Amino acid sequence: MKWSNLKPDYYYPDIFSIDLDQLSSRGVRGIISDIDNTIVPWSEEELLKEVLDWFVDLKERDFKVCLVSNGTGRRVGYFSRELGIPAVGQAIKPAKRAFRQAREKLGLAPEEIVVIGDQIFTDILGGNRMGFQTILVDPLSPKEFLTTRFVRSLEKLVFRRRD
Ligand SMILES: [Mg+2]
């Protein structure tokens, strides 16, 4: 594993803070977004109005969007329908397979794609390995599985979010 693959290209506290103009100017035309703790708190199903509006904004700016999540097919299918965008579930991130499927759905070159997610060892590592650009956001929910909490402390060794 290359350590540089753990480093996000950009960091923002949440999806709303992402500078979409800057992404466009850097050649980004497609967005692969994580679901849990990136657009909804862990295990919740209700999409906030702000989140719905954000996805409308992405469409109006002509970004192609696809969800990629390690969540179950049922849960991922639900968000795919709610947002009207394609999705790949049971992704086993950072494995490349689901990211490859998402890239095919977007029909774009790797350098035109940005991955947005809250976890370095799944979203950022997976995206960087594919040659995508990557954006790390803070997790929406403090409620997490213990394993995730353990991974967070490992992440802190690699990247300090708020420094
Ligand atoms: Mg997540």
Side-chain angles (χ1 to χ4, degrees):
M1 187 181 76
K2 279 197 293 178
W3 282 95
S4 59
N5 278 346
L6 296 173
K7 222 171 124 25
D9 294 303
Y10 311 91
Y11 160 73
Y12 293 99
D14 52 58
I15 55 170
F16 312 114
S17 313
I18 294 169
D19 186 341
L20 297 173
D21 291 327
Q22 187 191 47
L23 289 186
S24 293
S25 72
R26 302 227 174 148
V28 171
R29 296 170 62 208
I31 293 174
I32 292 174
S33 178
D34 175 44
I35 295 177
D36 285 301
N37 274 341
T38 296
I39 63 167
V40 286
W42 188 267
S43 82
E44 284 187 26
E45 292 224 322
E46 195 191 342
L47 285 159
L48 294 177
K49 171 149 194 322
E50 289 87 340
V51 174
L52 294 169
D53 289 346
W54 186 75
F55 277 95
V56 170
D57 190 21
L58 295 184
K59 263 182 201 164
E60 285 174 356
R61 289 166 180 263
D62 288 328
F63 285 113
K64 293 180 176 177
V65 189
C66 183
L67 303 171
V68 172
S69 168
N70 286 352
T72 63
R74 192 200 66 79
R75 180 167 167 78
V76 173
Y78 166 81
F79 287 108
S80 174
R81 285 190 302 278
E82 286 290 303
L83 293 166
I85 53 178
V88 182
Q90 293 173 296
I92 328 173
K93 290 181 278 186
K96 287 183 175 176
R97 185 165 160 269
F99 286 115
R100 249 186 239 125
Q101 289 174 340
R103 185 168 76 81
E104 278 163 26
K105 287 178 195 284
L106 296 176
L108 296 170
E111 58 272 19
E112 296 177 305
I113 296 171
V114 72
V115 172
I116 303 172
D118 68 299
Q119 289 196 63
I120 287 176
F121 290 105
T122 58
D123 307 302
I124 304 306
L125 176 58
N128 284 338
R129 288 175 72 210
M130 291 291 296
F132 302 154
Q133 301 184 50
T134 50
I135 298 176
L136 181 71
V137 294
D138 283 336
L140 286 176
S141 170
K143 278 186 292 173
E144 292 171 74
F145 289 130
L146 271 177
T147 49
T148 308
R149 239 184 269 161
F150 171 69
V151 170
R152 294 267 175 245
S153 49
L154 283 181
E155 286 184 350
K156 278 192 195 119
L157 294 173
V158 179
F159 181 80
R160 287 172 205 276
R161 289 164 190 267
R162 288 193 184 279
D163 281 5

